[in-house]
Amino acid sequence: MVSDKLTKGPQNAPHRALYHALGLTEEEISKPLVGIVSSYNEIVPGHMNIDKITDAVKMGVAMAGGTPIVFPAIAVCDGIAMGHNGMKYSLVTRDLIADSTEAMTLAHGFDALVMIPNCDKNVPGLLMAAARTNIPTVFVSGGPMLAGRIDGNKTSLSSMFEAVGSYSAGKLSEAKLTEYECKACPTCGSCSGMYTANSMNCLTEALGMGLRGNGTVPAVYSSRIELAKHAGMAVMELVKKDIRPRDIMTKDAFYNALAVDMALGCSTNSMLHIPAIAHECGIEINLDIANDISSKTPNLCHLAPAGRTYMQDLDEAGGVYAVMNELNKKGLIKTDCITVTGKTIGENISGCKNNNPDIIRPIDKPYSETGGIAVLRGNLAPEGSVVKRSAVLPEMLVHEGPARVFDCEEEAQQAILTGKINPGDVVVIRYEGPKGGPGMREMLNPTSAIMGMGLGNSVALITDGRFSGATRGACIGHVSPEAASGGVIGIVKEGDIISINIPANKLELKVPDEEISKRMADFAPRTKELSGYLKRYAALVSSGAKGAVLN
């Protein structure tokens, strides 16, 4: 075992002295040392219960013969960071989490890890760390929030953001807005729709890195505590069998993750994170692969924001395994992939029933024959752009209109809320990409304002930034190359016609090629004065089309 280099022999007596300083007994020091990576904090609702999950994991590890030792990982609440400079620090934490977890793990000679993430960048950051350290690892998240309830209808964070737009349009009273504020997010846990956190936690099951239910069992259910104990026990089995993350996260496993992504209608952020995690495994996942899988994978679920069902509904319907079993009926799952259960995906999903065909559509009655995410290309996005197709109204799948150009999110938000955006417009928000933001802010405020103002069936939005999983509508993000890197989005002018054709995977600036060439020749991207971590991040980050990995 790795820890033998620190715990065995006279030469390691100084190391053992320090273990004794921790209060560890000789018996504990002689067992496999299992790092419990706890993302507990008191600022993120999805993480406030992770102390209980951590205690349960520790018990499971100890019951199975290991010595659990806790160390922390950071996490940002995207909802609290939304709409101000704080959002510049969200995506960038993914790499901080991966780096710090790698450092803690390898510096202290752990034999195995149990990762306890929950929210948006925390899950992919820890998956990246798992790939780097490549010691037996199991994921168990803090679990999703229960949906709120207002006027007999379930609600979530996306309902709250859209309520602000409705209030600004005079469609919602201040009293009703306050009611939303108090009821939209009623429990701890990752926000209750198929947003980024829940998307990534579901994809840990599809990848084979999490036990059944990891993505869907609500945070407040006692079965979440039981799941955590089982995760602690499972990692000890992985130690015995020497099954490691890169044995699990193979090219076929990423194929499964993308197929499940398309079937569930996950957040567009998965198109940033899956390539980045694969990159750490030495596997290239590009946007063309995503479109290929989407073209043959039906969309089976319409969870919020695409529909009116929530994570607790998906859990009751059978969860991720039931979705995978539906996909497997048409051979869309690679069943031979090994998982943290020690069994294959095929063995895991065998017999998993779809308990509610209204929540998980049967494979022969999907919402659509193609997946929930589409990658668009064209002269405006030669490297690609991403849209959550399953959350776009049918009348907006094809749209053409005049550009309304803004060089930051705040300018666009002000224009939307003051009634300056007209039906038919295409809102363009640039200089919000990985390098230009920096940090590739999420645009939930303007996308929610468009919906709340009643413009969702007539206005589109494109950006070199990205979107929250709570975004719905004709919202195209990750436009690459970004403006700060000299992308065509940087030379769009007010009133230029932009054409969006989601079924055809096209995003075009309807300006003559000669004019585009002339503008590009004269174009000098804007720069910003930066300091601290954002300055280093902007200097190292790659395109959103490549997962915004650090070079």
Side-chain angles (χ1 to χ4, degrees), residues 86-109:
M87 180 47 70
K88 293 181 179 181
Y89 287 90
S90 172
L91 179 60
V92 305
T93 64
R94 186 186 71 183
D95 294 274
L96 282 175
I97 291 163
D99 292 347
S100 59
T101 303
E102 173 194 359
M104 286 293 289
T105 300
L106 299 183
H108 297 106

Side-chain angles (χ1 to χ4, degrees), residues 488-499:
V488 174
I489 190 172
I491 55 97
V492 177
K493 293 184 177 180
E494 189 83 5
D496 284 347
I497 300 300
I498 292 175
S499 173

